[in-house]
Amino acid sequence: MANPEYVLEMRDIVKVFPGVRALDGVKLQVRPGKVHVICGENGAGKSTFIKLLLRLYEPTEGEILLNGVNIREYNKRSYYRIFAPVFQEVELFAFPLAENVSMQSPKKTDKALAEKCLVDAGFGEKLAELPRGVDTEILKIIHDDGVDLSGGEKQKLALARALYKGAPVVVLDEPTAALDAIAESKLYNDFDNLTGGKTAVYISHRLSSTQFCNNVAMFKDGEMCEYGTHDSLMKKNGAYAEMFRLQAQYYVDKEAANV
C-alpha cells in the first residue's frame, strides 16, 4: 500500500441494522486530491457511510474497493493508516496536550509539530492562555491543575490530531458541529491549506460547507439521491437546492433578527 494515490469506490453498498436499512444501493467513487462532501438531513445515512468507508462497519451487501481491490483483502492496521478521521465525539486523555495531539508516547511526540497543528486547527488562542503550552496536563483525573476543554476546543484538538497524523485521506464527520459561526467560517476558508491538497471526505448536514468542495453527494433515506458540484445541483433544483435555500433563509432571518 505504498502508492500515494488512493481511489476508493463503493459499489452497490447496502447496510442493514436490526429493523433499519441504513444505506441502500450506494455507488460513489472518492478520487485522490479532491474534497468530497456527503450531506443530507440527520438520519440520511451519512455517518453509516463514513464508518463503512473507514471499515468500522462491514457492508451487508456490495463491496468497497481501494485501488480496485476489495478492502477486506487488506490488513486492517495498514488500511487504517490511510485515514486521518475527525469524529463528532472527541475523547480526551489524562496526559499532556502535545501527546493528546500526537497520540504517541512522549519520546515519539514532536512538540513543535503538535503546536503547529493546534494553531492551524484554530486552537492558538486557547494555547496562548495555557502557562505550560503544549506541556499542559489535560483533565483533572491525575493532576488537580489539569485543564478541561469546551466542546469547540475539543473539536479543534481533534482536527489537530488529524493534521498531525498526516494521512493521505482526511475524513471529517460534522467537524464544525460544536463550533460557533465565526470559527466555522474560518475553518471553511482555511480548509484547502489545512488539508494540503489531500483527499478529503467531509460529512455535514449544514450546507454552508459545500461550496468549497469539488463534489457533493446528497443523501436521503439511506440513498444517494443527487451527485455533482454545488452549482450543478443548484441548477438541478432538486432536494439539495431545496435544503440549501431553506438553510440560507435561516441564516438570513437570524442575521436580520440581530440587526
Side-chain angles (χ1 to χ4, degrees):
M1 298 175 68
N3 188 347
E5 294 288 299
Y6 298 106
V7 178
L8 289 149
E9 183 177 3
M10 286 195 167
R11 289 186 178 174
D12 301 311
I13 291 297
V14 174
K15 182 60 181 178
V16 178
F17 298 105
V20 178
R21 198 173 182 89
L23 287 181
D24 191 1
V26 172
K27 300 178 183 179
L28 181 63
Q29 190 176 79
V30 177
R31 303 293 302 177
K34 302 294 184 181
V35 179
H36 308 72
V37 64
I38 312 300
C39 62
E41 297 179 351
N42 289 333
K46 304 184 303 298
S47 290
T48 300
F49 170 90
I50 213 65
K51 288 173 182 175
L52 284 164
L53 187 69
L54 294 172
R55 208 180 168 191
L56 301 178
Y57 292 160
E58 297 287 354
T60 306
E61 298 177 21
E63 59 180 354
I64 304 171
L65 307 178
L66 171 63
N67 292 345
V69 178
N70 192 307
I71 62 173
R72 291 178 176 175
E73 300 296 320
Y74 293 103
N75 173 275
K76 271 193 174 183
R77 186 179 293 273
S78 297
Y79 185 75
Y80 290 158
R81 289 194 187 105
I82 295 172
F83 300 97
V86 179
F87 296 110
Q88 294 179 51
E89 296 183 8
V90 183
E91 295 292 339
L92 301 180
F93 301 93
F95 38 75
L97 178 59
E99 291 159 48
N100 264 282
V101 174
S102 71
M103 300 304 294
Q104 299 286 337
S105 67
K107 290 184 179 179
K108 293 183 178 180
T109 296
D110 183 334
K111 291 185 181 180
L113 178 58
E115 182 172 346
K116 181 182 185 305
C117 291
L118 285 164
V119 172
D120 288 346
F123 196 88
E125 186 174 336
K126 178 65 175 181
L127 185 62
E129 297 175 357
L130 303 176
R132 299 183 61 198
V134 294
D135 292 317
T136 299
E137 295 288 343
I138 300 299
L139 303 179
K140 301 181 184 297
I141 296 172
I142 298 175
H143 299 272
D144 291 338
D145 61 349
V147 173
D148 290 315
L149 301 180
S150 69
E153 290 163 353
K154 289 179 182 179
Q155 209 85 56
K156 293 172 184 177
L157 173 58
L159 181 55
R161 284 176 181 166
L163 297 176
Y164 187 98
K165 185 175 181 181
V169 182
V170 180
V171 177
L172 305 105
D173 187 359
E174 300 277 10
T176 63
L179 301 183
D180 58 41
I182 294 174
E184 180 185 49
S185 177
K186 186 177 188 307
L187 174 62
Y188 296 154
N189 291 334
D190 294 345
F191 195 81
D192 285 341
N193 291 331
L194 289 175
T195 57
K198 294 181 172 65
T199 304
V201 182
Y202 192 102
I203 310 299
S204 183
H205 70 274
R206 284 152 58 165
L207 300 190
S208 53
S209 64
T210 58
Q211 297 178 68
F212 69 91
C213 297
N214 302 111
N215 302 295
V216 178
M218 178 74 178
F219 278 57
K220 186 175 182 179
D221 298 327
E223 299 181 357
M224 190 177 74
C225 62
E226 294 179 355
Y227 182 80
T229 64
H230 167 77
D231 290 340
S232 70
L233 294 183
M234 290 301 292
K235 289 177 182 177
K236 186 177 179 181
N237 204 29
Y240 172 86
E242 180 182 6
M243 188 174 177
F244 185 88
R245 292 190 185 104
L246 284 171
Q247 291 189 8
Q249 185 61 49
Y250 167 78
Y251 286 117
V252 170
D253 291 344
K254 191 173 181 180
E255 287 178 4
N258 291 330
V259 172

